Amino acid sequence: MASCHVYDSRRGCYVEPPIKPNILYLHCHDAGRYVQPYGHAIQTPHIQKLAEQGVLFRQAFSAAPTCSPSRAALVTGQWPHCNGMLGLAHRGFALSDYSQHIVHPLSQAGYTTAIAGFQHVAPCATRECIGYDEFLTEDEGFETITSAAEQFLGRSHDKPFFLSVGYVAPHRREEDFHTLFEPDDDRYVRPPNPLPDTEETRKDMAMYKASVRSTDTCMGRVLAALDRKGLADDTLVICTTDHGIPFPGMKSTLTDHGIGVMQIMRGPGGFSGGKVVDAMVSQIDLYPTICDLARIETPPWVQGRSMMPLIDGTETEINDAVFAEITYHAAYEPARCVRTTRWKYIRRFDGRDRVVLSNLDDGPSKEFWYRNGWTDQTAAEEMLFDLVFDPDERCNVIERADLQETAAEMRNRLDAWMRETNDPLLDGPVPAPPGATITDPDDYSPRHGWPEYLQEGRDGC
């Protein structure tokens, strides 16, 4: 069966879709699954409506809990250590081959490619840098991005298009958040699970919620522009984010708090009807799925699996395990993980026994943890979590005598994946590219080392 076919359940066979769909890649920064359709008390009515009209993936995972590596994995269909993006693009890391970006096979198949807003896999998104036909705006503000997308969608299109619309929010801005709205009353806000319920964490989460609501409002405008032009039925919408939310124990960790992401898709090929998929999928699976729907051959470098069997009902599972990794964020913190439906195994490779504070953006919740002894917490070399009885991944059971067979199996699965994918960690520490900006892992902040207000009393940290 050629990869350019989709399953027609009424005919009971694979057929070519009637048209090549437009593709709207609608994405934001640092949102994890903290949106309304995943059950959180966060007002995102437009994302909720999209889920009710399309398909929601409850167990979608990024390939990395950090920004550029996860995004690069999505747009190349490869693990970060295979596509070369081992750290952040604005700090000197890059793809090994930008011709592997999804825009290139789509362009060759007759698509117009355009981008509005954030992308974070290259210094810029121009034809010379990534390969987009149209670079709609350099400004990353809410209004500028949204207006540029609306104008593009309002035009006449004689070819199918791939439009990337990326919002920086809800990434932190310094220690605050990008937002269009005042935050909710923080007295009635619940912090995310890894954090205690305190005045500091409630205020922080209230600001985060306002930023997510702002992003949803702008995404709603883009989706409305699609409707006004009559393009909704012929457009595959992919609404997702890069990794978990920017709070301690979440972003930059390989727990589900760090790699669990929202993934909602709506459009032709069966992505309709308000369906929910519980099967595990990785964002590297998006590339071959797009190839199927665009009726193009999946390139040989792609390591993901098409999700179409989950949509057409021919399979209930395409991955019996998913993997994720971190090498560099602000600082060097190499770690890898494998996740099944029951178990999560994480291994660190830096030899440290302390947390790397500089790999998390500054904010009130981070400072609260720090002032209460975060630097006294140890970081284990190996971790095993039972996701049935410990979904928050708080209790490391790697040493339990009755789980040694499970630990060995998960350890072997990770080792096999690293060998099969030629992970550079197998040869020892991974050097940063020449000229890259790397933060000291013993610093507090990714931005400026140690803030003055935290200098006092940190001797021996």
Side-chain angles (χ1 to χ4, degrees):
M1 181 194 66
S3 65
C4 58
H5 291 66
V6 296
Y7 190 77
D8 187 327
S9 58
R10 291 173 298 178
R11 301 186 195 179
C13 61
Y14 285 87
V15 299
E16 286 193 354
I19 62 167
K20 291 185 176 183
N22 305 310
I23 301 164
L24 172 59
Y25 171 36
L26 193 57
H27 52 104
C28 62
H29 213 347
D30 290 24
R33 297 184 185 136
Y34 278 71
V35 291
Q36 186 176 340
Y38 286 86
H40 295 283
I42 298 176
Q43 297 176 22
T44 54
H46 302 100
I47 297 176
Q48 176 70 29
K49 181 179 178 181
L50 188 70
E52 292 172 356
Q53 296 172 336
V55 178
L56 181 143
F57 293 84
R58 298 290 302 196
Q59 300 297 325
F61 298 93
S62 65
T66 61
C67 314
S68 298
S70 72
R71 293 170 178 275
L74 189 157
V75 297
T76 66
Q78 300 175 84
W79 306 111
H81 68 262
C82 296
N83 64 39
M85 189 66 78
L86 294 171
L88 301 177
H90 69 285
R91 285 175 169 256
F93 291 83
L95 289 174
S96 300
D97 184 354
Y98 278 90
S99 71
Q100 295 180 340
H101 194 292
I102 188 69
V103 298
H104 292 281
L106 288 175
S107 293
Q108 293 164 13
Y111 276 74
T112 297
T113 61
I115 182 169
F118 195 67
Q119 46 85 19
H120 212 192
V121 296
C124 64
T126 60
R127 178 182 290 276
E128 295 73 24
C129 204
I130 292 180
Y132 282 95
D133 296 321
E134 299 185 41
F135 186 42
L136 302 179
T137 175
E138 295 185 13
D139 191 304
E140 294 180 346
F142 281 115
E143 180 60 35
T144 306
I145 294 170
T146 306
S147 295
E150 288 174 321
Q151 291 170 20
F152 177 88
L153 294 171
R155 289 164 25 187
S156 295
H157 298 277
D158 57 2
K159 299 193 300 182
F161 60 77
F162 175 88
L163 173 62
S164 171
V165 181
Y167 293 97
V168 175
H171 194 283
R172 290 185 186 272
R173 179 180 56 192
E174 299 296 325
E175 297 184 12
D176 208 339
F177 286 95
H178 299 263
T179 184
L180 299 172
F181 303 112
E182 289 297 315
D184 295 339
D185 189 332
D186 57 82
R187 294 177 298 171
Y188 310 113
V189 170
R190 176 182 173 178
N193 278 0
L195 296 172
D197 188 343
T198 70
E199 182 179 356
E200 296 93 335
T201 59
R202 288 193 299 270
K203 288 182 180 295
D204 204 13
M205 190 61 179
M207 287 299 300
Y208 169 82
K209 290 176 63 175
S211 188
V212 175
R213 186 153 51 98
S214 302
T215 307
D216 176 77
T217 297
C218 294
M219 286 183 170
R221 285 177 52 185
V222 176
L223 293 169
L226 200 67
D227 288 335
R228 285 196 301 273
K229 195 65 177 179
L231 297 170
D233 290 342
D234 299 328
T235 301
L236 175 69
V237 178
I238 302 169
C239 181
T240 190
T241 187
D242 47 7
H243 48 67
I245 70 176
F247 287 78
M250 304 186 79
K251 177 181 178 178
S252 298
T253 78
L254 290 173
T255 67
D256 283 7
H257 293 297
I259 63 173
V261 292
M262 67 169 176
Q263 183 174 304
I264 301 164
M265 301 172 69
R266 185 195 73 188
F271 292 91
S272 60
K275 295 189 286 286
V276 171
V277 173
D278 285 310
M280 291 189 300
V281 297
S282 171
Q283 285 185 331
I284 68 167
D285 298 328
L286 283 165
Y287 198 120
T289 305
I290 291 171
C291 289
D292 275 358
L293 289 168
R295 293 156 51 192
I296 58 178
E297 293 296 329
T298 300
W301 65 77
V302 171
Q303 295 167 311
R305 298 179 175 92
S306 174
M307 294 180 288
M308 291 310 301
L310 299 176
I311 301 305
D312 61 37
T314 57
E315 300 287 347
T316 58
E317 179 183 89
I318 60 170
N319 298 303
D320 62 357
V322 293
F323 300 86
E325 63 184 85
I326 178 172
T327 306
Y328 288 89
H329 189 228
Y332 184 57
E333 190 180 7
R336 303 289 187 260
C337 81
V338 55
R339 186 199 196 278
T340 65
T341 55
R342 178 67 186 264
W343 303 101
K344 166 76 70 61
Y345 172 76
I346 302 172
R347 188 188 306 164
R348 297 168 56 88
F349 292 83
D350 59 1
R352 291 174 60 92
D353 61 1
R354 290 183 293 151
V355 296
V356 180
L357 302 186
S358 55
N359 274 342
L360 179 67
D361 306 316
D362 299 346
S365 296
K366 177 180 178 178
E367 184 178 337
F368 177 82
W369 264 26
Y370 170 73
R371 292 191 183 280
N372 283 274
W374 195 10
T375 52
D376 298 330
Q377 303 296 308
T378 58
E381 179 182 350
E382 287 187 297
M383 289 159 273
L384 179 68
F385 300 106
D386 184 338
L387 301 177
V388 169
F389 295 104
D390 181 27
D392 276 340
E393 298 171 65
R394 307 295 287 180
C395 182
N396 182 9
V397 293
I398 193 71
E399 300 293 342
R400 262 181 49 180
D402 60 323
L403 294 177
Q404 289 311 293
E405 185 175 337
T406 298
E409 179 186 351
M410 297 297 285
R411 191 179 290 123
N412 291 338
R413 291 191 79 153
L414 186 68
D415 288 341
W417 172 72
M418 293 177 69
R419 289 192 301 269
E420 291 165 3
T421 59
N422 297 315
D423 194 323
L425 272 179
L426 293 172
D427 298 323
V430 179
T437 301
I438 306 300
T439 302
D440 188 326
D442 287 318
D443 278 348
Y444 176 85
S445 172
R447 292 186 290 115
H448 46 59
W450 280 81
E452 290 186 8
Y453 59 86
L454 293 180
Q455 288 284 355
E456 182 180 355
R458 77 174 188 88
D459 293 341
C461 287

